[in-house]
Amino acid sequence: MKKILTIAAGIALISSGTVNAGAGSAVHGHGAGHDTQAKPSNHMDSSSHHEQMMNSEGMEGHAHSMDSLAGKPGEESSVSRTIIVTADDSMRFTHEPFNIQDGETIKFVVTNKGAIPHEFAIGTKDEHMEHGQMMMANPTMHHGPGGNAITVQPGETETLIWTFENAWQIEAACNIPGHYQAGMHSSVNIEDE
């Protein structure tokens, strides 16, 4: 029942236009002059970075790079291959299988062929659950380059470069309210070298 209510709430937000952010919308990315280095955090701490963000006003221009057990933001010079991903309003990602070597750096080129914004985020299933809660509290949050998540507007293409580490239940997911629950997530298979 809780899952059905979560999906219904996400669909209501989408159809009301709440998810579509215009000029002056909250930005959850890396702006000029902000430190983009990942900072250690304890996601179990009740005063975690995400909870502080959920309780903050605005979030305009906020720099943020979520730490993840799934790896860290990668460098263009370390990319071993590129994976093309399509997001659309069927609430699915279309791509080749995510079979990735432990320690490999992948460049994801994500195109949104839908009519509504989508997110492409890398993390463990637990991290996506936490991020989904944050997105429910701030559904107009947008992610810029340099972290583990990007927001891709309709008709646009964005890039995410990620260096993977072997962790349990790594996924690529859209955490815009209702999207993950509707099936917009893909498993990542990490293979030992």
Side-chain angles (χ1 to χ4, degrees):
M1 183 66 168
K2 185 176 180 182
K3 191 174 196 177
I4 292 171
L5 291 175
T6 302
I7 292 170
I11 292 170
L13 287 171
I14 291 167
S15 52
S16 71
T18 305
V19 175
N20 294 325
S25 66
V27 175
H28 184 183
H30 302 278
H34 291 287
D35 177 13
T36 59
Q37 294 296 317
K39 304 285 191 280
S41 70
N42 180 352
H43 293 284
M44 301 304 286
D45 182 355
S46 65
S47 63
S48 76
H49 181 67
H50 284 148
E51 286 187 30
Q52 290 170 13
M53 288 174 51
M54 286 169 46
N55 296 325
S56 68
E57 293 183 36
M59 294 181 58
E60 200 90 27
H62 178 79
H64 173 64
S65 176
M66 186 179 122
D67 289 336
S68 174
L69 296 173
K72 62 185 178 189
E75 299 292 329
E76 181 83 39
S77 61
S78 300
V79 170
S80 62
R81 60 190 166 116
T82 300
I83 296 178
I84 305 298
V85 178
T86 301
D88 62 37
D89 299 342
S90 69
M91 299 302 159
R92 299 289 185 269
F93 293 119
T94 305
H95 53 79
E96 67 183 66
F98 290 152
N99 294 321
I100 297 168
Q101 296 292 317
D102 187 16
E104 186 175 14
T105 300
I106 303 292
K107 179 178 187 176
F108 294 96
V109 178
V110 184
T111 300
N112 181 352
K113 293 191 176 178
I116 59 175
H118 290 292
E119 177 183 89
F120 184 82
I122 304 290
T124 64
K125 186 173 180 115
D126 289 343
E127 290 166 347
H128 285 298
M129 295 300 104
E130 180 181 349
H131 189 86
Q133 292 292 327
M134 183 174 53
M135 292 293 288
M136 288 295 283
N138 189 0
T140 59
M141 180 188 318
H142 287 212
H143 306 283
N148 73 314
I150 52 174
T151 300
V152 187
Q153 296 298 325
E156 294 187 7
T157 299
E158 300 289 340
T159 300
L160 178 85
I161 299 174
W162 192 256
T163 300
F164 284 87
E165 293 177 17
N166 198 354
W168 189 63
Q169 291 186 324
I170 298 175
E171 297 178 321
C174 180
N175 291 300
I176 290 175
H179 293 208
Y180 185 98
Q181 295 81 357
M184 201 163 193
H185 52 90
S186 298
S187 295
V188 176
N189 180 36
I190 302 295
E191 301 168 345
D192 291 327
E193 293 186 58

